[in-house]
Amino acid sequence: MTGGHHNTTEINRALAHAASETGIAMGIGSQRAGLELDDDGVLRSYTVVRDAAPDAFIYGNLGAAQLRKYDIGMVERAVEMIDADALAVHLNFLQEAVQPEGDVDGRDCLTAIERVAADLSVPIIVKETGNGISGETARKLSAAGVSAIDVAGKGGTTWSGIEAYRAATANAPRQQRIGTLFRDWGIPTAASTIECVAEHDCVIASGGVRTGLDVAKTIALGACAGGLAKPFLKPAINGPDVVIERVEDLIAELQTAMFVTGSNSVEDLQQAEYVLHGETREYVEQRTSSEQ
């Protein structure tokens, strides 16, 4: 979720301890700083995760733009840094476009993902960062051999909006305007989940997922799991026990949704009937008709 700054070490420690105690997976923030900066404090903000959660499923994180520049040995260093069980590759092209210092060269990213998926020692998860993944992109990622897709759709944190604020403080008015203009850009999480499930058999739904009921809804749409970040951030500032309590709330909410739908397992919940309405229904129907 975070990392790359001295101030994030205790947050990651609390999150990792809670993940270990409750049996949930945890992903960390981009490891670029840990690989490129010669700073023990920065490195510690990542390595603390495995120290606090020796048995948890932990996955690392690098940007697709970094894969273009790193050889497989460099990528393996990210895995070794936290003894990762998998590596997330994030697609944050809109965020980079808004950043005054952003990297907007996206050429050959799919080729780089395919190369790493074939050669890395752990599975690859490709994730968006708040703008969703289309069915067409999911099809290409499936062909590239990625092990899972995290849709990270529109509906949660808008990094375009966040970068607009950063651009304002950096006296970059053009990037500020672009960030504000595109803050609602993207594919809604529910629609992105439906599209990706049709193309890949392991989809994680995130982006505005806030409760156990939200997780249940994403699983009913065909996702294997739901991903959350913001609901854990404030509790993590107050220590692992508060995070554990929040996780237990989410588990109880999910279990309740499964109980009232007669779902004995995640697989049962994936087969539950659901109804789309409003803008989500219109979006999915329009996308479906355009593909026919």
Side-chain angles (χ1 to χ4, degrees):
M1 215 176 100
T2 189
H5 192 281
H6 300 215
N7 292 344
T8 64
T9 301
E10 292 309 311
I11 291 175
N12 267 348
R13 189 195 308 277
L15 292 169
H17 181 77
S20 180
E21 289 295 313
T22 58
I24 63 173
M26 175 184 170
I28 64 173
S30 173
Q31 293 172 264
R32 181 179 181 181
L35 292 174
E36 298 184 1
L37 298 180
D38 184 15
D39 187 319
D40 290 341
V42 167
L43 185 62
R44 182 60 180 160
S45 71
Y46 301 107
T47 59
V48 68
V49 172
R50 180 54 77 189
D51 292 343
D55 301 318
F57 187 97
I58 303 294
Y59 56 95
N61 188 352
L62 289 174
Q66 279 75 65
L67 294 195
R68 295 173 55 250
K69 303 172 184 177
Y70 295 165
D71 61 22
I72 194 66
M74 192 74 158
V75 181
E76 285 286 4
R77 279 183 55 198
V79 173
E80 294 166 2
M81 185 187 300
I82 57 169
D83 190 19
D85 298 290
L87 180 75
V89 177
H90 66 261
L91 313 177
N92 67 330
F93 299 113
L94 177 58
Q95 182 183 10
E96 296 282 0
V98 179
Q99 288 178 344
E101 73 284 7
D103 183 351
V104 293
D105 188 350
R107 292 173 295 180
D108 301 322
C109 282
L110 183 61
T111 300
I113 289 170
E114 185 173 16
R115 169 178 57 86
V116 173
D119 296 337
L120 198 65
S121 61
V122 297
I124 291 291
I125 304 166
V126 172
K127 71 182 298 294
E128 237 288 338
T129 57
N131 304 114
I133 293 178
S134 68
E136 294 89 342
T137 299
R139 190 176 308 132
K140 293 177 181 179
L141 292 172
S142 296
V146 307
S147 297
I149 294 173
D150 184 341
V151 306
K154 185 181 77 170
T157 301
T158 166
W159 286 101
S160 174
I162 290 172
E163 294 298 341
Y165 287 111
R166 285 189 66 240
T169 62
N171 194 27
R174 179 175 296 138
Q175 280 74 24
Q176 182 185 1
R177 286 194 297 271
I178 292 173
T180 301
L181 178 65
F182 282 84
R183 64 179 300 130
D184 291 325
W185 177 267
I187 306 171
T189 296
S192 183
T193 300
I194 291 170
E195 292 195 18
C196 289
V197 163
E199 303 295 340
H200 201 287
D201 60 3
C202 186
V203 173
I204 303 164
S206 64
V209 177
R210 297 287 182 257
T211 68
L213 180 56
D214 289 339
V215 173
K217 290 177 180 179
T218 69
I219 293 173
L221 293 176
C224 297
L228 303 86
K230 184 178 179 180
F232 297 134
L233 182 57
K234 188 173 181 180
I237 295 172
N238 296 312
D241 290 344
V242 186
V243 182
I244 290 170
E245 184 177 359
R246 184 71 186 97
V247 174
E248 290 175 344
D249 287 344
L250 287 161
I251 291 172
E253 293 160 3
L254 174 58
Q255 289 175 332
T256 301
M258 294 177 70
F259 175 63
V260 297
T261 57
S263 303
N264 291 317
S265 64
V266 168
E267 290 75 19
D268 287 345
L269 186 56
Q270 286 177 316
Q271 302 303 315
E273 294 185 8
Y274 61 84
V275 176
L276 299 177
H277 58 86
E279 293 183 2
T280 301
R281 177 181 177 180
E282 293 173 5
Y283 188 103
V284 171
E285 288 179 347
Q286 184 170 341
R287 285 283 290 159
T288 301
S289 62
S290 67
E291 293 177 357
Q292 294 176 346

